[in-house]
Structures are given as C-alpha cells and as structure tokens.
Amino acid sequence: MKTKEMVFAALFAAFIGVLGMIPPIPLGFIPVPITAQTLGVMLAGCFLGKKTGALSLILFLVLVALGLPLLSGGRGGLSVFVGPSAGYILSWPIAAFCIGYMTEKVWSSLRTWKVIVINLLFGVVLVSAIGAPVMAMITHTSVWAGLVGATAFLPGDCIKAIIAAFIALQLKAVSPIEDNVHNS
C-alpha cells in the first residue's frame, strides 16, 4: 500500500469521526438514530476505491473499539458492537468496499448518475439489509419490523448518496482511483 493511500485512509477515518460530531437525530420508534456518518461511508467508497475505502472504515471501527467517541452522540468502545446500531456500523467497511469496487469498474465512463446508483445500492440498501436484521435480533423484534423501521432512513440516505456522488465526481482528478487506473 502506498503512503498516499494510507494517508487517505487515515484522513477519511478522521472525516467520518468529524461527521459523528453532528448530533444524531433520534427517531423514537427505532433505537438507531439518523446520522451523517453514512455520507462518509459512501464518499470513502466512491472516492477512495475498494481497498482504501474499506481500510478507512476498518481503521475507523478499530478506533471506535479502542474507545474513541467517534460515533454520533460521542459513542465509542466495544459496547457499540453489541447495541442496536451494531449491524449498521459493521456493514460500513463492506459497503465502502462494494461502492469502491463498482466505482472502479465504471471509472473510465464515470457519470454522476452511475455513482448515485452505486451509492444507493451499496450505501443505502446493503447497509439497511445488514443493519436492520441485526438491530431486530438485538432488540428482539421481527426482521420485518426492523426493515420497516429502517425505511425512515431512506430519504436522508438518498440525499447523502447524491451528495457523495457529486463530491466524488468533483474530486475525480485527485482520487486514488485515478492513480490506480493510470498506473495499471
């Protein structure tokens, strides 16, 4: 791994931590709040690519596990990995990898709409498909109830998917993916 990729991974882990400083929006009917951090997950994938994007989220989760209060609401420590948000949080490296993988596949013909679709599939649908059933299991409710509750995240997640796509396209020239395409 190149130094530039390690720096980007560390910067994105920090960026996602900064997004955690934006206060969460509790919903009341579901124990997982709305946060800005999934914007960082999507952006990590579509800007950094599969390897560096996933690594940034793994680094972020290691820092959270060590107790740093990087999750929204100042949460951190091992307890978050057994709480209602666990499935969502643990899905983040997978989502970043999948977003990065698909973005790299279409890099030569990259368009905003393609990145939006990729973000929606892997940053919204995949994260909910993992997070909602785990939340349901932890809270002893039905998976269906978890999935229905997770629909509350859809409007905001769709907006974040669009924002991440626009930012990634604006920064395409400085993306590590661009370096990898030209060096291959």
Side-chain angles (χ1 to χ4, degrees):
M1 176 171 256
K2 296 180 196 139
T3 304
K4 182 178 179 180
E5 291 170 318
M6 290 189 284
V7 170
F8 270 127
L11 284 172
F12 263 79
F15 173 63
I16 295 165
V18 168
L19 288 173
M21 295 173 74
I22 298 170
I25 301 170
L27 296 174
F29 59 89
I30 182 172
V32 177
I34 294 173
T35 74
Q37 289 181 298
T38 47
L39 170 65
V41 173
M42 290 183 240
L43 197 52
C46 62
F47 176 76
L48 298 177
K50 64 181 185 268
K51 183 174 75 172
T52 310
L55 181 66
S56 71
L57 270 301
I58 291 168
L59 174 59
F60 177 81
L61 294 183
V62 167
L63 295 172
V64 168
L66 290 173
L68 273 67
L70 299 175
L71 291 171
S72 66
R75 296 174 300 133
L78 293 174
S79 64
V80 299
F81 297 102
V82 293
S85 300
Y88 291 98
I89 297 165
L90 291 171
S91 74
W92 290 353
I94 300 164
F97 178 87
C98 293
I99 292 167
Y101 177 82
M102 292 307 296
T103 302
E104 288 175 17
K105 286 286 185 198
V106 298
W107 192 258
S108 61
S109 63
L110 202 60
R111 300 286 178 266
T112 306
W113 72 267
K114 290 180 183 179
V115 182
I116 292 170
V117 170
I118 291 167
N119 284 341
L120 289 172
L121 286 174
F122 300 107
V124 179
V125 175
L126 177 68
V127 168
S128 288
I130 295 170
V134 172
M135 178 193 61
M137 208 169 43
I138 290 170
T139 59
H140 305 290
T141 56
S142 73
V143 172
W144 179 250
L147 290 168
V148 169
T151 61
F153 300 126
L154 288 177
D157 284 347
C158 290
I159 292 168
K160 289 181 261 184
I162 294 166
I163 292 169
F166 276 104
I167 292 171
L169 265 287
Q170 292 300 309
L171 299 175
K172 181 181 180 194
V174 295
S175 169
I177 299 172
E178 186 74 15
D179 293 344
N180 294 338
V181 169
H182 290 305
N183 293 332
S184 310

